[in-house]
C-alpha cells in the first residue's frame, strides 16, 4: 500500500459524496444555518447531515447528535462550533473515518496563545487520522461544478477561475464580482489559518482539476516555500497572485493576521518573475488579470490601436499603453486617407 | 491710458453682460441650437442674441442677420459656423466692439495646412481688435456663478473647482462627475487650439476669481513657459495638473491633437514639483485630487488608522498607505485592550 496522493485527498473536500455540518443551527441568523442552507441551495447531490444534539430537524433534514451517529461516515465535515470544542469534534471525525474537514470557526492562532494551542491540537489530530483540514478561521469552500457551496456568498455559476484566498473578505469580493458579471468560479477555497491545507496543496490540486482554467491566489506569505517551488515548476495553467504584506508595516499586519511569515517582498517578485506567475498589485488587478487569462484570447503581439472621437482621451490612452509596454500602432497614410471624413 | 489688464479682459468671456450666438440654429440636433438653449437654461441674466440671417426667431428670441445689427454690441460672441467663415465673423465682432469670443467650430490647425492658415487669420484679427478668443475647436465655457453655460453638458451647480482643459472630452468627463456628485464647478473653460487664450491666462484669472477654490488643468503642453512660470510663482490656490503626452508616442499624439509642443516629461515633473503643483497621472486622480483640495479639510499629519472587519483588507490598505508615504498608526496596547470584543 502506498501513501495517499495529497492531491487526490482534497477530493474529499472539493468533491465529497456526503457532507456533515457539525454545528448546524436552527437560527437563520447563525452561520451554522446559512452554510447548511447554501449547501442545499447550491444543489449538492449527496446526503447532507446536520449535526446538532439539541434539534430534531433543520431545514427539513433529520439532525444527528454527533458525527459518529452518521452511517456510513460522511466524506466531509464542515465544522462551525466554538473553538474549544473543535479538537474533540475533529477527533471524532478521524475515529469515524471522515476524510476531510472545513473548519469555519475562528478563535485559533489568530486569537492569541490559547487559540494557538487549540490550533496545534487540530494539527495533531488531523495528522494522526490523515484527515485533510481547510481552515480554521475560514470562509469555507465552493465548487459549483460538483456542485457544493459550503461557503458564502452563494455562487452557483460554473466558471473557469479557481480562487484560493488567505482572506475571506478578498475571496468574497472576488465571488461578488464573478457573480455580478455572471462568470462564476471553478472553485473557491478560503484557507484561513492554513493549519493543514495550504496554497501549495491547492495550486497542485487545481493544476490537475479539469474544470479550472486559471488559478487566482491571494496570499500573505507562502507557507512551505520548497514545496511551492516544486509545484509551480510543474504548473501548466496561468497563476495570478495577489501577495500582500509588501511594505514593512503591511508585512507586520500580514504576520498578525493569520500568523504567517510574510517574507521580503523582493524575493517574491523574483520568484514570481522566474516562474511566469502573474503578480497583481491591487484587488482590481487580481480580478482583471484572472478574468483576462480565463476569458480572452491571448493577443498575437503587443501592438494596440485606439479608435476614439477624443484627442485628449487618445493621448491619455497612448501614454498608459506605452507605460504598460504596449506598442501603439499608427495607420498607414493610405488607410488614414480612406478614413478621413 | 494704460493697456488693458489681460486678466480683467477675460471677464468679457466668463462674466459677460450680453451674449450673441453666431450660428444659432433652429435645428435641435445642431450645436448652434444646443449651445443657445444651454445659455438660456443656465439662467443667464443679460440679453441673448441669436445670429442667423435665415431665421426670424430661435427659442422665442428674435434673430439678427449679423453681429453688427446688435445694438449695443454684446460683450461676448459664441461662434459656431463653418471654419472658413470664422475670420470674417470675428472681424465684424472686432469692428463692432465685441470684447470676447468663444469659437466652438473645428477645422483649424488640427485639420491640416488650410485650417492652420484660417487659425492664423483668427489670431491676426483678434490681435488687431484686442478681442480675447477662446478656441477654436473647443467645447465652450461655463461659469455657473455668473451664471452662463455656453458649453455642454449643461451644469448649473455652483462649485469650487475651476476646470481648464485642452480636451473637450476630458473636461466633459469632469463636468459629468461633478454633476453626478452634485458638486458643480467654479468654471469650465475648454481651450481647444488655444489660438489666443491659454492655460496661463486662465490660471491667472482663476487665481484672482473669488468663486474659485481650486484650479484643475488638463494640458498637453504649456504654450508660453515663461509666462506660465511668472503666474505659478504668484499662485495662492491649489493647482492640479493632468499633463498628457508623457511617453514618446503619447507626446507624438499630443502634438498632433491641438498642434502644441508637448516637451520632455521630466521637465514638467521638475517644474511641477518646484511650484507645488499637484500632478495627476490619470483622469480619476485628476478628479479626486481636485475634489480633495476643494472639499476636504487638510489632515494635520500623515498618520492613518484603518478600522476593518477583514484582516486581508487591512493588510492591502496598509501596503497601499505605506507606498503612498502615509504612516499607518497602531493603537496603544491599553486602547486595543479596551476594544477587544
Amino acid at each position: 500500500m502506498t501513501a495517499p496522493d495529497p492531491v487526490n485527498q482534497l477530493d474529499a473536500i472539493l468533491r465529497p459524496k456526503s457532507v456533515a455540518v457539525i454545528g448546524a443551527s436552527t437560527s437563520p441568523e447563525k452561520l451554522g444555518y446559512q452554510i447548511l442552507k447554501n449547501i442545499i441551495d447550491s444543489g449538492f447531490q449527496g446526503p447532507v447531515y446536520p449535526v446538532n444534539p439539541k434539534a430534531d430537524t433543520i431545514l427539513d433534514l433529520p439532525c444527528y447528535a454527533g458525527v459518529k451517529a452518521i452511517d456510513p461516515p460522511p466524506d466531509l465535515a464542515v465544522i462551525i462550533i466554538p473553538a474549544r470544542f473543535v479538537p474533540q469534534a475533529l477527533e471524532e471525525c478521524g475515529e469515524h473515518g471522515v476524510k476531510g474537514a472545513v473548519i469555519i470557526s475562528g478563535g485559533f492562532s489568530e486569537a492569541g496563545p490559547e487559540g494557538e494551542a487549540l490550533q496545534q491540537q487540530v494539527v495533531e489530530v488531523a495528522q494522526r487520522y490523515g484527515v485533510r483540514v481547510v481552515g480554521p478561521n475560514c470562509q469555507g469552500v465552493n465548487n459549483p461544478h460538483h456542485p457544493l457551496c459550503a461557503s458564502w456568498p452563494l455562487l452557483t455559476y460554473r466558471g473557469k477561475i479557481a480562487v484560493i484566498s488567505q482572506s475571506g473578505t478578498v475571496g468574497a469580493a472576488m465571488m461578488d464580482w464573478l457573480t455580478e458579471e455572471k462568470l462564476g468560479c471553478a472553485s473557491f477555497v478560503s484557507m484561513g489559518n492554513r493549519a493543514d491545507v495550504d496554497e501549495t496543496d491547492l495550486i497542485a490540486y487545481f493544476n490537475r482539476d479539469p474544470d479550472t482554467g486559471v488559478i487566482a491566489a491571494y496570499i500573505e506569505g507562502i507557507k512551505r516555500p520548497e514545496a511551492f517551488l516544486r509545484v509551480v515548476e510543474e504548473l501548466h495553467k496561468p497563476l495570478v497572485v495577489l501577495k500582500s504584506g509588501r511594505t514593512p508595516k503591511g508585512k507586520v499586519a500580514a504576520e498578525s493576521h493569520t500568523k504567517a511569515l510574510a517574507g521580503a517582498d523582493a524575493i517574491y517578485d523574483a520568484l514570481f518573475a522566474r516562474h511566469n506567475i502573474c503578480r497583481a498589485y491591487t484587488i482590481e488587478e487580481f480580478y482583471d488579470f484572472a478574468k483576462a487569462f480565463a476569458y480572452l484570447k491571448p493577443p498575437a503581439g503587443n501592438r494596440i490601436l485606439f479608435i476614439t472621437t477624443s484627442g485628449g482621451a487618445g493621448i491619455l490612452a497612448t501614454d498608459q499603453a506605452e507605460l504598460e509596454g504596449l506598442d501603439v500602432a499608427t495607420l498607414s497614410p493610405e488607410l488614414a486617407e480612406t478614413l478621413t471624413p
Side-chain angles (χ1 to χ4, degrees), chain A:
Chain A
M1 181 182 148
T2 55
D5 177 349
V7 172
N8 286 342
Q9 285 182 303
L10 296 191
D11 276 339
I13 291 169
L14 285 156
R15 289 191 159 78
K17 295 191 181 64
S18 52
V19 179
V21 178
I22 300 176
S25 170
T26 53
S27 164
E29 292 80 45
K30 296 218 167 157
L31 271 180
Y33 177 93
Q34 292 157 14
I35 296 275
L36 179 66
K37 187 165 191 309
N38 281 353
I39 292 171
I40 297 165
D41 291 349
S42 64
F44 182 67
Q45 298 294 307
V48 181
Y49 308 103
V51 175
N52 180 338
K54 293 180 189 158
D56 290 329
T57 63
I58 305 177
L59 287 163
D60 296 331
L61 294 171
C63 269
Y64 291 75
V67 74
K68 287 186 164 180
I70 304 168
D71 183 39
D75 281 356
L76 173 65
V78 179
I79 301 178
I80 320 155
I81 55 179
R84 64 185 183 282
F85 302 127
V86 168
Q88 175 59 30
L90 192 65
E91 177 105 32
E92 290 175 23
C93 287
E95 285 172 0
H96 197 47
V98 173
K99 294 174 204 148
V102 173
I103 304 174
I104 310 276
S105 321
F108 292 88
S109 67
E110 85 285 0
E114 208 174 313
E116 179 72 52
L118 283 172
Q119 185 164 319
Q120 195 46 45
Q121 289 179 46
V122 164
V123 173
E124 283 163 18
V125 172
Q127 286 176 348
R128 194 174 336 128
Y129 294 99
V131 181
R132 298 307 309 262
V133 173
V134 165
N137 185 32
C138 82
Q139 205 164 319
V141 302
N142 184 0
N143 176 0
H145 293 273
H146 183 57
L148 169 75
C149 180
S151 179
W152 72 97
L154 176 64
L155 175 156
T156 56
Y157 291 107
R158 296 168 183 204
K160 292 186 188 172
I161 304 167
V163 177
I164 299 166
S165 181
Q166 229 181 307
S167 155
T169 304
V170 170
M174 293 288 277
M175 293 303 109
D176 283 342
W177 289 340
L178 289 167
T179 298
E180 271 171 37
E181 298 202 302
K182 295 194 169 50
L183 294 174
C185 69
S187 276
F188 165 51
V189 179
S190 164
M191 297 187 289
N193 294 0
R194 305 186 297 187
D196 174 33
V197 172
D198 62 21
E199 62 285 350
T200 299
D201 293 313
L202 292 163
I203 291 167
Y205 182 82
F206 292 120
N207 192 36
R208 284 205 219 161
D209 174 37
D211 298 319
T212 295
V214 175
I215 304 168
Y218 168 76
I219 53 171
E220 292 159 11
I222 291 169
K223 193 176 151 201
R224 294 179 293 141
E226 294 201 8
F228 182 86
L229 281 177
R230 283 195 301 274
V231 164
V232 295
E233 272 161 14
E234 307 220 330
L235 202 62
H236 56 84
K237 295 178 182 176
L239 171 60
V240 179
V241 170
L242 176 60
K243 160 74 179 70
S244 68
R246 291 155 63 200
T247 61
K249 285 197 178 170
K251 187 167 172 292
V252 170
E255 291 175 356
S256 71
H257 180 210
T258 43
K259 287 288 171 206
L261 200 65
D265 197 62
I267 293 176
Y268 284 100
D269 257 344
L271 172 68
F272 295 160
R274 178 163 186 166
H275 292 279
N276 276 320
I277 295 169
C278 173
R279 184 167 190 174
Y281 286 96
T282 65
I283 189 167
E284 290 83 4
E285 283 186 359
F286 187 47
Y287 180 72
D288 288 344
F289 293 168
K291 190 170 77 167
F293 279 120
Y295 297 103
L296 299 183
K297 196 179 145 191
N302 74 335
R303 297 198 310 149
I304 189 167
L305 177 71
F306 295 109
I307 298 173
T308 168
T309 58
S310 161
I315 301 161
L316 290 167
T318 300
D319 274 347
Q320 198 60 43
E322 287 257 295
L323 291 169
E324 303 283 351
L326 297 170
D327 184 13
V328 181
T330 45
L331 297 179
S332 66
E334 296 75 30
L335 181 55
E337 185 62 31
T338 67
L339 296 174
T340 300

